[in-house]
Amino acid sequence: MLVGGPLIAFWIAYLVLDVRSPRDVLAGLDKTVVLQYADGSPLLKVVPADGDRTFVPYAQIPAKLRDAIIATEDPTFWDNQGFDPTGIGRAFVTGVGGGSGITQQYIKKSTGDDDATLGRKFAELVLATKITQEQSKEQIFESYVNIISFGRGTFGPAAAMHAYFGKNLDDSITWSEAAFLAGMIQSPSVHDPAASGDAHAARRWQYVRDKLVSRGYVKNDEQLAYPGAEIQPPSETRAGRLTYDEFHVKQAVLAELDREGFPLGRLQQGDMTVETTLDRGLQDAAKRTLRDRLAGEPKEFRGAMVAIDPKTGAVRAYQGGDQGVRDYAGTPHAAGTAFHPFTLAAALRHGYGTDQLISSPVNQRFLGEDFTYPDVCGPKCTPRTAMRVHADGPFVALAKKLGPDALSETARQAGIPETVDGTPTMREKDGFLIGAGIAVGRYPLRPLDVAGAYATFAADGRRTTPHLVSRVRDESGAVVWEHTDAARPAFDDGDGDASRRIARDVTGTLATSLPDGRAAALRTGEAGHGSSPGNQDAWAVGYTPELVAAVWIGSDDERRLKDATGAELTGDAVPADVWRGFMTAASASGPARPVAGGPPPVVRPPR
């Protein structure tokens, strides 16, 4: 009775009870999605609500950490049948310690049943035995170490290594670091030095170190020291903590992937890694130049910048600002006179030339709206001259002759999308009519789209789609999705000769030079505040054959803006300074080719 009864009960429970496969348990948990820079270095993490859960395959768990965990939590793990009878007996007699090995801990975590009852313990023993017969020890350890908490909102050793030491998990881990992490498993909220102090954490570390020595993993004479000085405060390494500009990148990347059929849930369930197109150096340069130039300006100033490789459409830098959750790079703003290159391209498509004489009337009426601009272009006004002196009147006159549809169509051919979040662009609120405001750039455009459309000019008239994601990899590293988009002529359906000519002619009217003397193209522009003489938005958009950058400066609401000197906000001041600073930093990474088309650079006279 004493022997047979428990054996029969065990046998019946073995048949009735079932244990979830470790793979099934892990598959049902949301994993941390890692976003990488284009060079493969870490960019940021998208962390599940319950904490950072970065999956680590068994083969990538450093041997030192594996040994430290086994020595501390279950020294007979490799040989036992899912539990340690000696440890259970000791726990039964003393009431403390030794009653739950690695396999049992996994069962407890995977089932979520943590009740301290004999029935639960009996079921745990049965399931531990069953899973040991169905799974390899390596599989069990892999699942266990990825499901347990190490504290600070982390699950798994990779997240823990970053949270406590600010490092990636690899074979460079020291015995001291391994002993510390292994010591966290028992009760992370208690053993974390941020919670209980270094004295308590050091005693726990010493306990693990003694286990490593007594069980032969480490020699007693090896010099190991508690790594207190290396442990980061929680505020420095908290998983998922993002600055506002990082948050904007995350949201833009996830929105792009969602459109491609990879919503966040799919990424988390698949333990996927996202390789972005962002360049670490250019991303830092964009943030730095914006921050430094705006430092002395009025507090209401806001800024954004997007940089794109015109040959591929890959976004190399994306800065939506660091003042709040509003992403200024992905928010539409009035383009103002930064829209003029599209008006010129429309004129070129309809047979005009950059050096052809055009009218520059002071008073004009277009689609029922009156426009009045001073004649600053002169009697021999040409599109090239009008662009150089920033004359608005000639471009309104061109828009009147070409019609609003021609302007809209050309801007779309260059790359301005039809809709943004379901709302038509370059249209009135009804979503159909095109108003007179298109002639003066009143329709709001996103810096991302403006940069992408200017990239068509930089790429000799070949259009690509701006994108932030290059590929997505699954848990094994296999590519499950990759961006594919062949460049194509923007302004014609033939061999691209007409498109190339239009792009080069536009570029020729934008000629400028970088601070180091190299040729580039740049258009600065402003958008007026209603009918007042002031400006509310300012732009600087320019390029070399290797890089396009669009800079926007404005505010959270529609208001007249003046810079720190009290002067009216214009594109050739703050935005141009940011653009030149960024392009100078970008040019340090490699030589630029001459910009195609146009005469030598010209200097814009003061307004």
Side-chain angles (χ1 to χ4, degrees):
M1 292 288 292
L2 291 175
V3 176
L7 289 177
I8 293 173
F10 189 95
W11 177 72
I12 294 174
Y14 189 95
L15 295 176
V16 173
L17 297 176
D18 197 13
V19 61
R20 295 174 66 195
S21 159
R23 290 287 182 180
D24 290 341
V25 173
L26 291 173
L29 299 173
D30 285 342
K31 319 297 190 309
T32 296
V33 178
V34 178
L35 271 58
Q36 298 176 335
Y37 284 105
D39 62 2
S41 59
L43 169 59
L44 57 89
K45 292 180 177 181
V46 183
V47 178
D50 64 347
D52 188 359
R53 196 184 298 277
T54 305
F55 179 81
V56 184
Y58 177 82
Q60 296 178 20
I61 302 171
K64 289 177 182 176
L65 179 59
R66 190 170 61 232
D67 292 342
I69 292 173
I70 291 174
T72 307
E73 296 295 318
D74 192 354
T76 67
F77 172 73
W78 294 114
D79 303 313
N80 64 44
Q81 293 302 307
F83 56 89
D84 179 5
T86 304
I88 292 176
R90 182 169 60 252
F92 183 78
V93 173
T94 65
V96 293
S100 187
I102 284 176
T103 309
Q104 291 171 264
Q105 289 184 51
Y106 168 75
I107 297 296
K108 181 166 56 179
K109 294 294 183 182
S110 65
T111 60
D113 187 357
D114 199 22
D115 292 336
T117 63
L118 289 176
R120 195 275 299 172
K121 198 68 176 179
F122 178 73
E124 184 182 292
L125 294 177
V126 174
L127 292 175
T129 303
K130 192 170 186 177
I131 197 173
T132 300
Q133 295 177 352
E134 294 177 350
Q135 301 286 333
S136 70
K137 289 288 188 177
E138 289 79 6
Q139 288 176 303
I140 294 172
F141 185 86
E142 176 188 86
S143 300
Y144 159 78
V145 82
N146 279 290
I147 202 175
I148 57 173
S149 171
F150 285 81
R152 296 192 179 182
T154 65
F155 296 85
M161 188 68 179
H162 185 267
Y164 288 104
F165 297 105
K167 300 178 182 178
N168 293 328
L169 181 71
D170 54 37
D171 288 334
S172 66
I173 189 172
T174 66
W175 277 117
S176 293
E177 293 167 340
F180 177 87
L181 293 180
M184 288 297 102
I185 294 173
Q186 183 199 62
S187 184
S189 61
V190 173
H191 300 319
D192 186 345
S196 302
D198 278 308
H200 174 93
R203 288 195 296 272
R204 177 61 181 171
W205 177 88
Q206 184 64 47
Y207 171 85
V208 178
R209 191 260 183 193
D210 291 344
K211 292 293 185 183
L212 286 168
V213 171
S214 65
R215 285 158 182 165
Y217 293 104
V218 175
K219 295 181 180 179
N220 196 32
D221 58 355
E222 286 193 42
Q223 298 298 315
L224 300 183
Y226 169 68
E230 304 171 34
I231 300 170
Q232 305 292 305
S235 61
E236 296 296 321
T237 56
R238 180 165 58 84
R241 181 180 185 181
L242 302 176
T243 58
Y244 284 124
D245 55 308
E246 290 172 332
F247 174 77
H248 301 146
V249 169
K250 183 195 81 169
Q251 294 298 98
V253 167
L254 293 181
E256 184 176 310
L257 286 171
D258 190 73
R259 293 192 296 270
E260 297 294 341
F262 282 82
L264 178 58
R266 182 177 178 184
L267 296 171
Q268 290 176 324
Q269 287 290 302
D271 192 22
M272 296 180 182
T273 298
V274 178
E275 296 181 16
T276 73
T277 60
L278 295 173
D279 180 281
R280 178 188 288 272
L282 296 183
Q283 185 74 350
D284 290 343
K287 180 175 183 177
R288 184 173 61 254
T289 52
L290 266 174
R291 179 196 63 211
D292 293 350
R293 184 60 184 84
L294 292 179
E297 295 299 328
K299 66 180 185 306
E300 63 266 22
F301 272 30
R302 302 289 184 263
M305 179 192 293
V306 178
I308 293 177
D309 180 343
K311 296 181 291 296
T312 65
V315 177
R316 298 306 187 193
Y318 188 95
Q319 283 294 329
D322 60 359
Q323 294 93 348
V325 297
R326 185 179 180 186
D327 176 7
Y328 299 104
T331 302
H333 315 282
T337 52
F339 191 81
H340 284 174
F342 303 119
T343 303
L344 174 58
L348 295 172
R349 286 181 56 230
H350 288 78
Y352 283 79
T354 56
D355 296 309
Q356 177 180 337
L357 291 177
I358 57 175
S359 62
S360 181
V362 173
N363 298 308
Q364 303 180 63
R365 187 170 181 80
F366 178 36
L367 294 180
E369 187 171 347
D370 293 322
F371 296 87
T372 301
Y373 295 106
D375 183 9
V376 297
C377 197
K380 295 184 177 180
C381 185
T382 67
R384 187 189 305 278
T385 306
M387 195 75 78
R388 177 172 61 86
V389 299
H390 280 232
D392 297 305
F395 287 102
V396 175
L398 280 175
K400 183 176 181 180
K401 286 193 173 184
L402 297 170
D405 288 309
L407 272 60
S408 175
E409 179 186 9
T410 301
R412 297 199 189 287
Q413 288 177 331
I416 301 299
E418 289 278 352
T419 62
V420 172
D421 296 330
T423 301
T425 60
M426 296 186 294
R427 294 287 189 274
E428 294 298 313
K429 292 182 179 180
D430 62 8
F432 297 99
L433 295 178
I434 305 176
I438 193 170
V440 290
R442 287 184 195 157
Y443 290 130
L445 300 175
R446 301 184 301 179
L448 173 65
D449 299 327
V450 173
Y454 269 70
T456 297
F457 301 135
D460 258 359
R462 297 184 67 81
R463 173 185 169 182
T464 56
T465 303
H467 59 282
L468 284 134
V469 182
S470 57
R471 60 186 60 87
V472 178
R473 296 183 183 274
D474 64 14
E475 176 185 326
S476 67
V479 176
V480 296
W481 179 85
E482 189 167 15
H483 177 86
T484 55
D485 178 43
R488 58 201 181 280
F491 305 116
D492 69 81
D493 298 325
D495 57 8
D497 285 345
S499 190
R500 185 180 306 109
R501 174 184 57 80
I502 291 171
R504 291 189 174 189
D505 285 350
V506 171
T507 297
T509 68
L510 305 177
T512 186
S513 60
L514 294 174
D516 60 7
R518 292 185 299 167
L522 173 64
R523 175 62 180 179
T524 60
E526 307 83 25
H529 175 63
S531 59
S532 74
N535 296 323
Q536 67 181 33
D537 300 275
W539 296 78
V541 193
Y543 49 88
T544 66
E546 287 77 24
L547 194 66
V548 180
V551 178
W552 168 85
I553 301 295
S555 65
D556 284 323
D557 50 13
E558 297 181 359
R559 64 167 75 183
R560 295 175 56 186
L561 294 175
K562 294 185 177 182
D563 63 23
T565 67
E568 179 183 4
L569 175 66
T570 61
D572 56 357
V574 179
D577 290 344
V578 174
W579 184 85
R580 294 184 190 280
F582 172 76
M583 294 298 282
T584 299
S587 67
S589 62
R593 301 193 310 274
V595 176
V602 293
V603 178
R604 175 185 172 187
R607 299 190 70 185

